[in-house]
Amino acid sequence: MEKQRSLQDLADIVRIFCEARDWDQFHGPKDLAIGVITEASELLEHFRFQTDEQSMALLDNQQVKGDIEDELADVLFFLLRFSQRFEVDLTKALLRKIEKSEKKYPVEKAKGKNTKYTKL
């Protein structure tokens, strides 16, 4: 069984990979933000013009699912690289954002239909 890795572990792997290739010179904040959106767009390409049912069916095809996983990994790569290069603690940032969103979208006002709410 493969070892679970933390976000910090993954950020370190990305840092080592990029530093071995001397890529810091290409990884300014603008460049990394472009990378995030470019890779997110490539993820979206799989689902463009698909119905919800067709989108779900794509995930039943192991080759397509593998391609989608690759795009998700590319997005994560750029997020981790950005956070690593510019000292953003993604865990703290996400928790802070969830807290803000809980205030902005209270369950009583923002709950979707047919869902169950469980506070973590």
Side-chain angles (χ1 to χ4, degrees):
M1 184 173 187
E2 195 169 323
K3 173 188 165 198
Q4 278 291 91
R5 297 184 188 254
S6 70
L7 275 178
Q8 186 58 55
D9 292 337
L10 297 175
D12 289 342
I13 290 167
V14 167
R15 178 185 52 76
I16 291 165
F17 177 87
C18 293
E19 287 178 355
R21 289 155 180 81
D22 196 24
W23 284 359
D24 283 4
Q25 62 187 317
F26 307 116
H27 287 172
K30 177 190 72 154
D31 305 301
L32 294 170
I34 289 169
V36 170
I37 197 67
T38 301
E39 297 303 337
S41 294
E42 290 178 12
L43 171 63
L44 179 59
E45 285 177 16
H46 292 281
F47 302 102
R48 190 173 180 203
F49 304 122
Q50 302 292 316
T51 65
D52 287 344
E53 293 79 22
Q54 290 168 326
S55 293
M56 292 297 291
L58 287 175
L59 297 169
D60 292 333
N61 179 315
Q62 289 306 302
Q63 181 175 344
V64 174
K65 186 174 181 182
D67 293 342
I68 290 167
E69 289 172 352
D70 285 349
E71 298 307 339
L72 287 167
D74 287 342
V75 171
L76 182 59
F77 174 93
F78 277 99
L79 291 172
L80 290 169
R81 181 63 170 157
F82 194 109
S83 70
Q84 175 265 311
R85 286 272 290 140
F86 302 104
E87 299 177 7
V88 174
D89 183 325
L90 287 175
T91 301
K92 285 182 183 178
L94 177 64
L95 294 174
R96 186 178 61 247
K97 181 62 178 180
I98 292 289
E99 189 176 307
K100 287 180 182 180
S101 294
E102 283 180 335
K103 291 174 184 163
K104 187 174 182 179
Y105 305 107
V107 172
E108 309 78 50
K109 295 182 180 179
K111 186 174 179 182
K113 294 181 181 180
N114 301 319
T115 61
K116 294 181 180 178
Y117 171 72
T118 305
K119 184 160 179 124
L120 299 176

